[in-house]
Amino acid sequence: MSRHHPTCLFQECVTVRSRVCSLILYVARGLFQYLSGFGNEFSSEDPRCPGALPKGQNSPQVCPYGLYAEQLSGSAFTCPRPTNKRSWFYRILPSVRHKPYTTVDNGNLTETWDEMHPDPNQLRWLPFTILKSSEKKVDFVTGLHTICGAGDTKTRNGISIHMFTCNTSMIDRYVLTFYHLRLFLSVPQQGKILVTTEFGKMMVEPKEICVIQQGMRFSVDVFGDTRGYVLEVYGAHFELPDLGPIGANGLANPRDFLTPVAWYEDREVANGYTVINKYQGKLFSSQQDFSPFNVVAWHGNYTPYKYHLSNFMVMNCVAFDHADPSIFTVLTAKSTRPGVAIADFVIFPPRWGVADHTFRPPYYHRNCMSEFMGLIEGHYEAKEEGFQPGGGSLHSMMTPHGPDGACFEKNSTAPLKPERVAEGTMAFMFESSFSMAVTKWGLETCQKLDKSYYKCWEPLRKHFDPNWRNLHLGPL
């Protein structure tokens, strides 16, 4: 085995028992490996322990290397085979060995949707503040802030949307797990994050997303001031959208989704590990003296994964009119109603605009769905000013929205030649069939609500001319 293999690098650090040293080596040499595919049956074992996966069965009387077998179920046992989700871990100690859970402060993480009076207005937030580490050390857990949401984790039907702003890693302090959500989608906007899971490690950079599914333990390391968006879905797993007449290829292709390979650590820390659990909307913590990331090998189809948004195969109009934004859907969490999503993750990537006789920016709209938008980089085409990277907007169910006055005037007279749209830009949308309630933190505490947002439409002026037909087509 090469001395530069990632497992050897971690063995170099065993003598100093330093996860910090390990991370520095791991990141500096870019040693991240992944398995390709979406929803595949994967298997992986850490090369330090070849043959750790049992042969021909899941739970032998004695596992190789004296490991414990543990199953993680992401669906009911009796779900139809195409939707049945589970993985098997082979770990040094089982996750059941921990001290009792006790309640901890939720901070600005909430699922209390009635703390503020409903607000049907168009809402926009300026970029959310990232505290400097010299002011206060903030890790991923304490840096989570709920903006809006709906539904209930007890019935596992709903969603919530958060911002995370942090400057400090969770090293040896926290491991996070969510008991009720089906999935946890993270969209870094500033700064890359290193996500350590029971399955292995993922480096996730801006313009990449990662999905951590229900019950999976993870921690987040950062490398400076870091900010991003989070979508929690309580009721369904993400799927790739059906392609219909598009055919077999297009949008987000399965091969571009990446799952980490097995990596384990076998170590103890003086003060133990703190495992944070989000249960029925509240945070709880427990202590254990061994690493939660002690999985030597695993197999199954229930895994975390990441995806780079630049791999999205864009579809667009090549004749006339503006297609609905559903053509930009990366992932969908379906409801029980056909064609209606609990949540869709939609992006607005760089692409060509070629439609003739067409107002090319997004049309004016009142939607039966709620639309939360974020901006990773660049300038969103329908509002080039005001909507900034690291901020957000919420257009609630049936609340009117669309291009601002400057965008309308510019694009109503622009020459319709082929042009690049959204070059250097990546905007996204969390779209949901739920009517979203905004939290007190989102409306007041964060102090980032742009109360002048409505003014971007005030320059829209009347163009109606009752004599238009006579002037352009002649009298009847």
Side-chain angles (χ1 to χ4, degrees):
M1 184 186 298
S2 166
R3 187 171 182 273
H4 296 290
H5 190 280
T7 56
C8 289
L9 294 179
F10 276 92
Q11 287 167 344
E12 292 174 12
C13 297
V14 167
T15 56
V16 295
R17 311 294 287 174
S18 169
R19 185 176 171 210
V20 175
C21 171
S22 303
L23 290 173
I24 291 171
L25 285 170
Y26 207 76
V27 173
R29 300 184 186 179
L31 297 169
F32 294 90
Q33 299 176 15
Y34 302 95
L35 305 168
S36 170
F38 187 87
N40 292 21
E41 285 284 342
F42 294 116
S43 63
S44 183
E45 57 187 28
D46 191 305
R48 288 172 288 180
C49 297
L53 284 169
K55 303 296 183 184
Q57 65 179 120
N58 294 321
S59 187
Q61 185 178 26
V62 179
C63 292
Y65 294 93
L67 298 171
Y68 287 84
E70 179 178 295
Q71 183 174 204
L72 178 65
S73 293
S75 65
F77 295 141
T78 52
C79 275
R81 191 171 284 249
T83 59
N84 207 298
K85 305 290 184 184
R86 54 82 186 98
S87 285
W88 280 89
F89 293 140
Y90 300 94
R91 59 194 316 154
I92 297 167
L93 281 170
S95 57
V96 71
R97 205 188 100 174
H98 63 81
K99 303 298 183 184
Y101 280 104
T102 57
T103 58
V104 296
D105 183 18
N106 268 47
N108 292 311
L109 199 63
T110 184
E111 290 174 13
T112 304
W113 308 129
D114 59 357
E115 61 183 2
M116 298 295 290
H117 196 73
D119 190 341
N121 289 300
Q122 302 96 347
L123 301 176
R124 182 169 70 187
W125 289 269
L126 301 173
F128 294 94
T129 301
I130 310 171
L131 289 177
K132 298 294 182 183
S133 57
S134 57
E135 301 174 59
K136 181 182 179 181
K137 292 189 180 299
V138 180
D139 63 24
F140 183 81
V141 177
T142 53
L144 279 170
H145 311 278
T146 307
I147 301 174
C148 58
D152 177 39
T153 53
K154 297 184 185 72
T155 57
R156 297 171 71 175
N157 187 33
I159 70 169
S160 54
I161 295 171
H162 319 283
M163 287 297 299
F164 68 87
T165 56
C166 51
N167 54 42
T168 301
S169 296
M170 294 167 58
I171 293 175
D172 290 346
R173 178 160 180 258
Y174 285 133
V175 177
L176 192 58
T177 181
F178 290 75
Y179 274 24
H180 286 85
L181 64 86
R182 280 293 193 182
L183 52 91
F184 180 96
L185 185 151
S186 177
V187 186
Q189 181 270 322
Q190 177 179 319
K192 59 188 176 184
I193 60 175
L194 174 59
V195 183
T196 302
T197 75
E198 293 167 286
F199 294 80
K201 292 177 175 290
M202 298 184 289
M203 181 65 80
V204 187
E205 303 183 0
K207 293 198 289 187
E208 289 186 306
I209 61 171
C210 73
V211 173
I212 308 293
Q213 306 201 67
Q214 180 186 8
M216 296 177 182
R217 293 182 171 181
F218 68 100
S219 69
V220 175
D221 293 293
V222 300
F223 306 90
D225 296 344
T226 306
R227 177 172 56 206
Y229 308 84
V230 168
L231 171 66
E232 275 190 79
V233 178
Y234 308 151
H237 296 296
F238 267 142
E239 303 174 30
L240 296 177
D242 296 325
L243 296 180
I246 292 174
N249 306 288
L251 308 186
N253 290 309
R255 65 176 296 187
D256 295 319
F257 289 84
L258 302 176
T259 290
V261 298
W263 170 82
Y264 77 91
E265 61 179 4
D266 179 16
R267 70 191 189 94
E268 299 177 0
V269 293
N271 298 318
Y273 286 85
T274 301
V275 178
I276 302 293
N277 160 20
K278 185 166 183 278
Y279 178 74
Q280 295 188 4
K282 304 297 183 182
L283 294 184
F284 299 82
S285 71
S286 70
Q287 300 292 317
Q288 61 186 61
D289 57 9
F290 62 94
S291 172
F293 305 122
N294 65 353
V295 176
V296 176
W298 61 266
H299 75 85
N301 64 355
Y302 188 54
T303 69
Y305 53 87
K306 74 169 192 168
Y307 174 79
H308 201 295
L309 302 179
S310 65
N311 290 323
F312 188 79
M313 181 178 168
V314 180
M315 302 287 171
N316 209 357
C317 292
V318 296
F320 62 89
D321 269 357
H322 190 291
D324 294 331
S326 50
I327 63 169
F328 302 125
T329 302
V330 179
L331 293 166
T332 182
K334 297 178 180 178
S335 75
T336 56
R337 291 175 289 166
V340 179
I342 295 173
D344 284 332
F345 176 64
V346 180
I347 63 172
F348 302 96
R351 58 199 183 275
W352 281 98
V354 299
D356 290 326
H357 316 295
T358 297
F359 182 75
R360 289 179 177 175
Y363 42 75
Y364 293 99
H365 193 204
R366 289 182 295 163
N367 195 354
C368 65
M369 308 282 275
S370 299
E371 302 178 13
F372 178 91
M373 285 194 63
L375 186 60
I376 298 170
E377 65 176 12
H379 301 276
Y380 179 55
E381 61 204 86
K383 298 179 185 69
E384 293 192 1
E385 302 296 331
F387 186 44
Q388 301 175 46
S393 69
L394 175 64
H395 299 141
S396 296
M397 196 173 286
M398 289 302 172
T399 294
H401 55 278
D404 61 21
C407 178
F408 180 84
E409 295 299 330
K410 173 184 174 182
N411 287 277
S412 294
T413 57
L416 294 179
K417 58 184 180 182
E419 62 178 346
R420 290 291 290 172
V421 178
E423 196 67 36
T425 294
M426 185 62 75
F428 71 88
M429 177 168 65
F430 299 145
E431 185 177 55
S432 175
S433 56
F434 282 90
S435 181
M436 311 286 273
V438 185
T439 63
K440 184 176 182 180
W441 185 87
L443 287 176
E444 296 179 357
T445 310
C446 71
Q447 298 184 357
K448 291 297 179 180
L449 190 65
D450 182 359
K451 296 183 179 180
S452 65
Y453 182 31
Y454 71 95
K455 293 181 180 179
C456 75
W457 292 288
E458 289 194 338
L460 291 170
R461 57 190 178 88
K462 184 170 72 172
H463 294 274
F464 175 68
D465 182 358
N467 297 313
W468 180 87
R469 180 180 177 85
N470 291 338
L471 291 172
H472 292 270
L473 301 178
L476 287 171

